[in-house]
Amino acid sequence: MVTRHIKPFSLQPDFRFLDILASMGSEVVLGRNWVAVKGVRLAGIDVDMNAMPDQVPTLAVLEPWLEGEP
């Protein structure tokens, strides 16, 4: 998936979600004004979502594709 017209180096806490995806096994590529995410096998992780609670539903949607337990 490629998302365009964004600022990949944003200081917004929600942008850390890309780090979470990478920790789960996704390939995350940052461009000047785009982000590409590719992931086939995602591993469950234990992550503190206090800084970005609005991203919890997005993370929860990935659960069916997770392998193993955090």
Side-chain angles (χ1 to χ4, degrees):
M1 173 181 81
V2 176
T3 302
R4 300 183 186 283
H5 308 294
I6 62 170
K7 296 177 181 176
F9 303 101
S10 171
L11 298 177
Q12 295 260 338
D14 287 352
F15 216 80
R16 189 174 161 266
F17 193 74
L18 294 174
D19 296 332
I20 293 170
L21 291 174
S23 296
M24 296 172 75
S26 291
E27 178 183 348
V28 178
V29 180
L30 302 174
R32 184 173 171 211
N33 65 351
W34 56 271
V35 173
V37 178
K38 179 182 177 184
V40 178
R41 293 190 173 115
L42 300 177
I45 62 170
D46 185 20
V47 63
D48 181 356
M49 299 296 286
N50 283 319
M52 56 181 130
D54 54 328
Q55 292 297 327
V56 171
T58 305
L59 184 60
V61 167
L62 298 177
E63 194 276 331
W65 290 276
L66 299 181
E67 294 185 355
E69 296 182 23

